[in-house]
């Protein structure tokens, strides 16, 4: 007994000494990485001279935070995770009946989303709710819809697409141009923008039928940049880099309008005080219904032969051909349907913003959407939605962290470091959950019994 205690004490001492060494090493690396990012700031004085402003406190806090996290991971987090895995492996395997929360999870989330604007208005008032409905509601749902659309191409069909933002741009400019020149309504242009984006998805799909992997990624990246450059240089139609302003707002099926000067203005019709929050609430429910439509279509397609063909193509294209599946049609349907949902989101974006420009459709947007799909777990709708909330909602939350100025100084702007934090979060999630938030999936085709396939049994990069 005494020997066991001595052995345990020696192991703890060795672990603590190892953790101290690793934390010091991590602190040195963090100091080298963040010295120029956080420690030094270059500005210009009144004489237009370059001035270097040091931020030693911010650098010291960052380094100490990295050291503390590394020490806690080695001494607390990793041993607990190892103990949990060992206990789970030793426990007898028993199929537990799903509880009430798990059975009704989807319905509860949908009800909560429909009540979200009402709760915001009741909690912080009409004008105070505008920020939460727009920035934390509509913004997140737009990326959820975009990520679910890209999930069809990347997560289900296994085709790496780095130019998905091009279809987003096609939908936005289709709505902006046709509403400005022809006066079409939102409800007519919404499906029309999706059809045009699907058409461009087929155009992209034809040249890349024989490509896969890195080559496919390069071609789709080039396609996205081509669309952006066309929008910049075709000034006669797109107004170039200046963009298109004064885009028509959406209306409630033409019955009520949200234009202030319109005789059928929504607020005037019901005797309500004039406010832009009514339009934002309307847009919230529109994008929520579009997201639900995207999820419904995706789930239904996965159960159909075309969905099973996408999964077969993702797993092994050669085996897919040997089964007699037409890989040409399979790829084209994936590109077209994914692009269609991107076009829906683009037309909604134009109606929401009232202004579109090429700056909104840069490669970074494609990278963010793809990162959401990968972090959430390719093929998982729930995981992608959670990743959208964490990544997009977390970025918006940085704007509210004014208390950080008390730590790092009055000139500190948290939102300027959003991409640094975004990258760090991606690294942490990929180390913690290499297969995304949802690392297992259930195939649509199964024999006798449906079983979840763990991510550890799948090929790297294939879900």
């Amino acid at each position: 007994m005494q020997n066991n205690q001595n052995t345990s004490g020696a192991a703890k001492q060795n672990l603590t000494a190892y953790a101290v060494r690793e934390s010091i090493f991590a602190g040195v690396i963090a100091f080298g990485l963040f010295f120029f990012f956080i420690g030094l700031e270059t500005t210009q004085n009144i004489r237009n001279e370059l001035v270097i402003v040091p931020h030693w406190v911010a650098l010291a806090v960052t380094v100490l935070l990295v050291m503390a996290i590394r020490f806690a991971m080695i001494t607390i987090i990793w041993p607990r995770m190892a103990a949990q895995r060992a206990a789970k492996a030793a426990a007898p395997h028993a199929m537990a009946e799903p509880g009430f929360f798990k059975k009704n999870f989807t319905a509860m989330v949908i009800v909560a989303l429909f009540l979200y604007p009402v709760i915001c208005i009741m909690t912080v008032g009409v004008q105070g709710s505008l920020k939460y409905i727009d920035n934390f509601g509509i913004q997140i749902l737009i990326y959820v819809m975009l990520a679910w659309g890209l999930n069809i191409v990347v997560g289900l069909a296994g085709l790496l697409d780095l130019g998905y933002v091009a279809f987003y741009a096609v939908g936005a400019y289709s709505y902006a141009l046709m509403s400005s020149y022809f006066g079409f309504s939102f409800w007519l242009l919404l499906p029309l923008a999706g059809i045009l984006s699907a058409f461009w998805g087929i155009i992209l799909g034809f040249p890349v039928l024989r490509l896969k992997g890195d080559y496919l990624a390069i071609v789709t990246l080039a396609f996205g940049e081509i669309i952006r450059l066309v929008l910049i240089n075709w000034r006669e139609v797109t107004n170039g880099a200046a963009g298109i302003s004064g885009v028509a707002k959406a209306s409630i099926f033409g019955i009520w309008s949200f234009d202030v000067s319109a005789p059928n203005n929504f607020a005037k019709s019901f005797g309500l005080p004039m406010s832009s929050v009514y339009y934002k609430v309307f847009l919230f429910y529109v994008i929520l219904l579009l997201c639900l439509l995207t999820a419904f279509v995706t789930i239904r397609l996965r159960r159909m032969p075309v969905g099973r063909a996408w999964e077969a193509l993702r797993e092994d294209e050669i085996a897919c051909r040997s089964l007699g599946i037409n890989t040409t049609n399979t790829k084209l349907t994936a590109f077209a349907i994914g692009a269609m949902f991107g076009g829906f989101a683009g037309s909604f974006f134009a109606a929401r913003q009232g202004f579109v420009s090429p700056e909104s459709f840069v490669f970074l947007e494609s990278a963010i959407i793809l990162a959401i799909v990968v972090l959430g777990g390719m093929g998982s709708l729930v995981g992608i939605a959670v990743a959208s909330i964490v990544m997009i909602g977390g970025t918006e939350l940085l704007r509210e962290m004014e208390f950080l100025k008390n730590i790092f100084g009055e000139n500190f702007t948290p939102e300027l470091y959003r991409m640094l934090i975004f990258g760090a979060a991606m690294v942490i999630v990929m180390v913690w959950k290499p297969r995304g938030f949802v690392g297992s999936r259930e195939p649509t085709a199964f024999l006798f019994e449906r079983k979840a396939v763990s991510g550890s049994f799948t090929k790297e990069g294939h879900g």
Side-chain angles (χ1 to χ4, degrees):
M1 184 70 178
Q2 187 68 26
N3 292 333
N4 293 335
Q5 291 179 353
N6 293 336
T7 303
S8 177
K12 289 182 178 180
Q13 290 179 356
N14 293 334
L15 181 62
T16 304
Y18 173 72
V20 170
R21 291 195 303 270
E22 286 293 313
S23 61
I24 294 174
F25 183 63
V28 172
I29 295 176
F31 179 82
L33 288 174
F34 298 119
F35 181 79
F36 294 102
F37 286 105
I38 299 177
L40 299 178
E41 179 185 3
T42 57
T43 59
Q44 289 180 329
N45 59 16
I46 196 171
R47 294 187 297 272
N48 204 26
E49 296 174 343
L50 182 65
V51 178
I52 298 178
V53 181
H55 297 285
W56 304 126
V57 176
L59 180 62
V61 170
T62 304
V63 172
L64 291 176
L65 185 63
V66 171
M67 294 176 64
I69 292 174
R70 182 63 176 172
F71 185 83
M73 288 179 64
I74 295 176
T75 57
I76 300 174
I77 299 175
W78 286 352
R80 287 186 179 180
M81 292 176 64
Q84 290 176 356
R85 286 195 297 266
K88 187 176 180 180
H93 182 70
M95 294 295 293
E97 191 71 21
F100 175 80
F101 180 79
K102 190 173 183 180
K103 284 182 179 179
N104 303 278
F105 175 75
T106 303
M108 292 169 64
V109 170
I110 294 175
V111 171
L113 287 173
F114 273 99
L115 294 177
Y116 176 75
V118 179
I119 295 173
C120 290
I121 293 174
M122 294 176 61
T123 305
V124 295
V126 175
Q127 290 302 121
S129 65
L130 186 62
K131 173 179 62 176
Y132 296 100
I133 295 174
D134 192 15
N135 296 346
F136 292 96
I138 297 174
Q139 184 76 5
I140 293 175
L141 288 175
I142 288 176
Y143 279 91
V144 168
M145 185 175 181
L146 287 170
W148 281 350
L150 182 60
N151 178 59
I152 295 175
V153 182
V154 178
L156 299 184
L159 304 170
L160 184 57
D161 187 357
L162 294 180
Y164 190 71
V165 74
F167 309 121
Y168 188 34
V170 169
Y173 270 87
S174 298
Y175 177 85
L177 291 171
M178 285 190 283
S179 65
S180 300
Y181 288 102
F182 302 106
F184 293 160
S185 67
F186 170 78
W187 301 105
L188 177 61
L189 291 177
L190 181 66
L192 193 57
I195 293 172
L196 291 175
S197 297
F199 173 73
W200 281 101
I202 295 174
I203 291 178
L204 170 63
F206 271 112
V208 301
L209 290 176
R210 298 182 176 224
L211 301 178
K212 57 183 178 179
D214 300 336
Y215 301 101
L216 176 62
I218 292 172
V219 172
T220 54
L221 172 61
F223 178 78
E225 287 300 300
I226 288 171
I227 294 294
R228 187 179 66 85
L229 292 175
V230 168
L231 295 177
I232 293 175
N233 294 303
W234 201 5
R235 296 184 182 90
E236 295 81 4
V237 176
T238 64
N239 201 25
I244 302 173
S245 59
V247 179
K249 292 183 177 180
S251 64
I252 305 179
F253 301 106
I255 303 173
W256 294 293
S257 173
F258 292 95
D259 291 328
V260 178
S261 60
N264 60 338
N265 180 269
F266 180 82
K268 293 178 181 178
S269 301
F270 290 92
L272 300 173
M274 298 299 296
S275 175
S276 60
V277 72
Y278 308 125
Y279 186 53
K280 296 300 181 181
V281 171
F282 168 69
L283 290 179
F284 177 87
Y285 285 118
V286 170
I287 188 62
L288 177 58
L289 292 175
L290 288 174
C291 287
L292 294 178
L293 175 65
T294 306
F296 175 77
V297 172
T298 302
I299 293 172
R300 295 290 295 177
L301 287 176
R302 287 192 65 176
R303 297 172 182 172
M304 294 174 65
V306 65
R308 299 182 182 184
W310 288 340
E311 292 180 346
L313 180 67
R314 176 189 63 193
E315 300 302 333
D316 194 328
E317 185 173 349
I318 297 176
C320 182
R321 289 175 181 170
S322 67
L323 293 173
I325 297 175
N326 190 329
T327 56
T328 299
N329 293 342
T330 303
K331 290 182 179 180
L332 289 179
T333 52
F335 274 113
I337 296 175
M340 179 183 66
F341 290 118
F344 289 158
S347 61
F348 175 85
F349 172 80
R352 175 209 178 197
Q353 296 293 112
F355 170 77
V356 291
S357 70
E359 293 181 358
S360 301
F361 310 106
V362 295
F363 167 71
L364 181 61
E365 291 296 316
S366 289
I368 291 175
I369 299 168
L370 180 61
I372 290 173
V373 175
V374 175
L375 292 178
M378 291 190 292
S380 170
L381 298 181
V382 176
I384 290 172
V386 172
S388 301
I389 294 172
V390 172
M391 293 302 169
I392 306 303
T395 302
E396 293 295 328
L397 195 62
L398 285 176
R399 306 179 192 276
E400 308 298 322
M401 295 184 178
E402 295 294 329
F403 66 90
L404 293 176
K405 292 186 177 181
N406 299 327
I407 302 174
F408 299 109
E410 287 295 327
N411 296 326
F412 180 77
T413 51
E415 58 268 20
L416 294 180
Y417 295 91
R418 64 185 184 278
M419 295 312 300
L420 180 63
I421 298 175
F422 181 77
M426 286 184 60
V427 172
I428 293 172
V429 172
M430 286 293 97
V431 171
W432 174 51
K433 300 281 286 185
R435 301 288 173 174
F437 291 130
V438 180
S440 62
R441 66 172 186 269
E442 293 183 357
T444 53
F446 57 93
L447 182 63
F448 301 124
E449 183 182 0
R450 182 186 296 273
K451 296 181 179 179
V453 180
S454 173
S456 58
F457 293 103
T458 59
K459 187 178 178 182
E460 184 69 36
H462 288 73

